Amino acid sequence: MSSEISLTRLIDPKRIAVIGASNSKGKVGEIIFKRLLDSRRRLYPVNPKEIVISGIKVFPNIEALPNDIDLAVITISAKASVGAVESCAKKNIPFAIIVAGGFGEVGEEGKKLEEQLKTISQESGIRLLGPNSLGIFLPDENIDTIFVEHGDRALDPGGQVACIVQSGSVGVEALGYASNTGFGMRAFIGLGNKCDLDEIEFLKYFGNEDKTNCVTFYLESIENGREFLEIARDIAKNKPVVVLKAGRTATAISAVSSHTGKLAGSDNIISGAFKQYGIQRVYDDEEFCDASKVLSMLPAALGNRVAILTAAGGYGVIATDYVEKHDQRATLKMAELSSTTKQKILDATFPFSACNNPVDITASADDNMFKKSLEALVNDDGVDIVICIAFFAPPGITENLIDIVARVIEDSNTPVIVFTKYGPFTNSSLRNFFLAKVPGFPAIGRTVRAARFLVERAEIERKLNSDNQG
Amino acid sequence: MVKKIENWFNKLEIKGRPNEFEAKRLVQFYDISVPDARVFVPKDRFEVSKITPPYVLKVCSPDILHKTEQKGVVLNVTKEDIQKQLNDIRKRFAGENILIEHQSDFEAPEFIIGVIKDPALGHAVMVGAGGIFTEIYKDVTFRLAPCSKNEAKSMINELALAEVFHGFRGMNFDEDKFAEIISNVSILADDMGDKLSQLDIKPIVFSQGRWVALDVKIIIDN
C-alpha cells in the first residue's frame, strides 16, 4: 500500500497506548512501557491485570481508552494482537505497531493471522507497522519502542540518518556498531513483516522531511519494486538513498533458455536498477553504517582526486594502493599537488617531509604541522577529497588534533575523512572526532571506501539533475 | 510502433514461436541492422542473386535451440558451392526451413544484447561480452527497460570490454550507435510488454562501419 498519508502521528505521537504494559520485570510490555516513560508523552497502559504502572493509571481494555490516542504499541502475543488491532481500529486509533512475531514468518497459521491484520487495516483504515516489528526509535524525539538492548546511549543528538530495516537484529547490531564510533541517527524503523506500511511510505516520509539528510534501508524484499525505484530517484536528487538489499541469490526466472536469462539472476538486475535510479548499494551492516555516516556528514565530492596526509608512512602507502584500486562504485585518483601546496607543507614541517602525494610529515610532526599541512591540502584546487591519517602515537601529536582537524574542515568545502587507530581508545577517539563533526573510520580500506561513496554520490547528483529519462 | 508488433505477432509462421528470420524482422523495426537474407522453405528452388557471397546457411526453426552444436550452421559458403551445401543441410534437417544470409565480415570482439523479464521488476536489458565464453566471463550489466541512450552509455562503460570503445589497439567501434541500439532494444521490450519473456541478440558485431545483429532469438511468454 502506498497511498499518500502523513506518518506524523506515528513518528511523533503525543498520546501513546501500550497494549500489554506490565509491571512484571522482563516482559516485553514492561520494557517498552519503561522506555516510553522517558518520552515525556502521555502514556495509556492497557492491561486487565494491572491497576497502576509507574504511577500511571492502567486501563482495563482498549475500549476504555480516551478517544484521541495517536499510536498503540501492541506488546502482546500474535493471536491476541489481532483482536487488539481490531479494537484499536474501532477506537479510531490511526497507527499501531505490532511487536509480536509468530505471523507469516512461521507458517500457515501465522500467515492466516497476518492476513487478518491486513484485512482489518484495509477495511478500517488503521495503519499497521509490523507485525514482527522491532518498533521505532527517534533519539531526538525521545521515542523508543525497541524492547531489545540497543546502543542508544552512544547516539548523539541532531542525527540526520533515517534507517529503515526489515530485520530486527541486523538493524540493532548496526545501531550498536554505528553508535560506538559516533553516528547521527534521526530515526530507526523496524518494518517487520510489512503487512501494511512498507519501505515506500517511510522513503517518502523521511525523504521529504528536513530533519533527515540520508535515507538508508536494509531490505530482504522490495514490495512494488518499480514504484520504490521511481520515488527513490526523486528523493535521491536531493539526498542520498542507500540500500542494503540482502538475499542476493538468483530468483527463479521461469524456464530460462536464453543466454540473457542464464546471466541474469535477479541480483544483477537489482544492481543495474539501483545504478539507474541513483540508489547507492551496500552489502553488509558495516558498509551500511559507513555509507550513511559519511554521506550524512559530508557533501558530495566535487571530483575524484584524493590527497592523503599522514604521519605514518606505511599507512600512506596502503591508502594509496586502495585509492588506485579499480572499483565499480567509483574511480579515485591520487591528486597532483601544486608547487605552492608543496612549498607550504615544506615550510611548515621538515625539509625531509615527503610532499608528493601521499604527504608524509613523519612521526616527528606536531599538531601545528598537521594543521598547516591540512590547510594547504584543502586549499589546493587540484584536491577534491582529503584523507587524513590521524595517529596519536607521535610524541608531538596530542588529542588537540581532533579540534584542529575540525576547525580546518569547518572553514573548507573540501571533504576531509579521517582514518584513526588508537589501540583500545580507537572507538572513543572516533566518537570524539564525530562530536567535532569529523567522520572517521578505524580501517584504511573503509576510509577510502567512504571517499568513494562521496564520489559516487556526486555522479548520482549530476546524472539525476541533468537527465530526466530512465 | 506497437501496432507493427501486433501485426508481426499475428503473422508468425508458428503462433507464439518466432524463428530467427522473424525475430530479425522485429529488431529491424527498431533500427537494428541484420544481414541480407532469404528463407527457403523445403520446396523452394535455390535463388540468391540478391544476396552477395560469401553465404552462411542456417536451419531456421524455433525447435532447434542449439543449431551450431547440431551442425545446423554452415559458414564460408561460396557461390559455386551453395547448391551442394543447401542440399546437404536439407538432408540433415528434412522438412525445416533454411535461412541463407550474407556472411558479414567483422572485427572481434562480439557482443551480446538481451532482455529478460524479471518477475518482480519487469523487463531488464543487458549488454555484455559475446562469443562462446559469454557465460564464463560474465562481463555483463543490466538496466531496467526502457532505458535512455545515456544510461546505455554508462552500461557500456561498466564492461571490462569498454576499452575497445576508447582506442584499445586502435579499435574504432561506434559507441554512440551501440548505445542507441541498447536503448532501442529496451524500448522494444517495453513496447512488447508482458508477451516478451527473453530476447538474445548474440552476437551483435561491428561490421564495416555498422552494427549488425547476426543472430536473434525471441522467446514469447504464452
Side-chain angles (χ1 to χ4, degrees), chain A residues 222 224-226 229 251-266 268-273 275-277 328 463 467 469-470, chain B residues 65 112-119 121-124 126 134-135 138 140-148 150-151 158 198-200 202 217 219:
Chain A
I222 302 180
N224 307 311
R226 287 265 181 165
L229 292 170
T251 56
I253 292 170
S254 59
V256 165
S257 48
S258 63
H259 294 279
T260 309
K262 284 176 197 145
L263 290 159
S266 71
N268 279 335
I269 298 177
I270 293 249
S271 279
K275 276 180 206 151
Q276 193 173 359
Y277 287 81
Q328 276 278 357
K463 174 179 140 152
D467 127 313
Q469 300 166 280
Chain B
L65 286 174
I112 176 170
I113 297 176
V115 173
I116 180 82
K117 188 166 68 184
D118 180 82
L121 294 170
H123 285 133
M126 179 193 87
T134 300
E135 280 155 38
K138 296 189 171 72
V140 295
T141 180
F142 290 80
R143 294 292 187 273
L144 298 188
C147 92
S148 67
N150 273 344
E151 194 65 50
E158 262 174 49
Q198 297 154 65
L199 178 152
D200 277 341
K202 180 182 183 293
K217 176 156 71 183
I219 297 163

Side-chain angles (χ1 to χ4, degrees), chain A residues 5 12 115 139 166 169 174 199 206 369 392 433 460:
Chain A
I5 51 158
D12 187 14
E115 279 306 313
Q166 195 168 346
S169 31
E199 54 277 5
F206 291 110
M369 296 176 187
F392 300 95
F433 269 114
I460 289 168

Side-chain angles (χ1 to χ4, degrees), chain A residues 307-334:
Chain A
I308 296 166
L309 174 61
T310 183
Y315 279 112
V317 180
I318 300 173
T320 305
D321 287 346
Y322 268 109
V323 165
E324 288 175 341
K325 203 170 148 191
H326 172 76
D327 192 306
Q328 276 278 357
R329 188 179 296 286
T331 303
L332 300 178
K333 282 200 298 222
M334 289 298 281

Side-chain angles (χ1 to χ4, degrees), chain B residues 49-67:
Chain B
S49 58
K50 284 187 187 137
I51 304 173
T52 16
Y55 305 108
V56 53
L57 273 61
K58 297 179 184 177
V59 58
C60 185
S61 157
D63 292 327
I64 296 161
L65 286 174
H66 303 287
K67 48 186 182 289

Side-chain angles (χ1 to χ4, degrees), chain B residues 25-142:
Chain B
R25 289 282 303 148
L26 182 67
V27 301
Q28 276 184 293
F29 297 158
Y30 289 82
D31 199 20
I32 298 165
S33 303
V34 300
D36 288 336
R38 262 206 66 181
V39 180
F40 292 81
V41 303
K43 291 172 294 188
D44 276 356
R45 274 176 57 87
F46 166 72
E47 207 289 299
V48 286
S49 58
K50 284 187 187 137
I51 304 173
T52 16
Y55 305 108
V56 53
L57 273 61
K58 297 179 184 177
V59 58
C60 185
S61 157
D63 292 327
I64 296 161
L65 286 174
H66 303 287
K67 48 186 182 289
T68 309
E69 288 81 343
Q70 295 177 41
K71 295 192 180 144
V73 179
V74 188
L75 294 165
N76 303 316
V77 180
T78 60
K79 207 166 187 164
E80 295 69 41
D81 206 22
I82 187 149
Q83 187 63 63
K84 179 184 175 299
Q85 293 293 352
L86 183 65
N87 294 343
D88 284 357
I89 197 169
R90 275 178 168 166
K91 264 180 233 154
R92 286 200 295 278
F93 297 94
E96 297 289 3
N97 294 347
I98 305 298
L99 182 65
I100 297 185
E101 285 183 335
H102 166 69
Q103 183 174 321
S104 307
D105 182 28
F106 66 90
E107 209 183 331
E110 301 171 18
F111 290 85
I112 176 170
I113 297 176
V115 173
I116 180 82
K117 188 166 68 184
D118 180 82
L121 294 170
H123 285 133
V125 61
M126 179 193 87
V127 65
I132 55 170
F133 299 117
T134 300
E135 280 155 38
I136 294 177
Y137 289 130
K138 296 189 171 72
D139 183 20
V140 295
T141 180
F142 290 80

Side-chain angles (χ1 to χ4, degrees), chain A residues 342-406:
Chain A
K342 290 181 192 170
Q343 197 54 51
K344 278 189 205 162
I345 294 169
L346 281 178
D347 291 348
T349 61
F350 308 102
F352 49 81
S353 294
C355 284
N356 284 322
N357 196 13
V359 175
D360 178 5
I361 56 174
T362 80
S364 310
D366 63 24
D367 289 349
N368 196 45
M369 296 176 187
F370 227 97
K371 173 176 186 271
K372 290 259 168 67
S373 307
L374 188 55
E375 277 169 353
L377 292 174
V378 299
N379 289 320
D380 187 321
D381 287 341
V383 173
D384 301 309
I385 304 173
V386 178
I387 288 176
C388 177
I389 299 175
F391 279 10
F392 300 95
I397 291 180
T398 71
E399 294 200 16
N400 292 335
L401 185 63
I402 293 174
D403 282 333
I404 290 170
V405 175

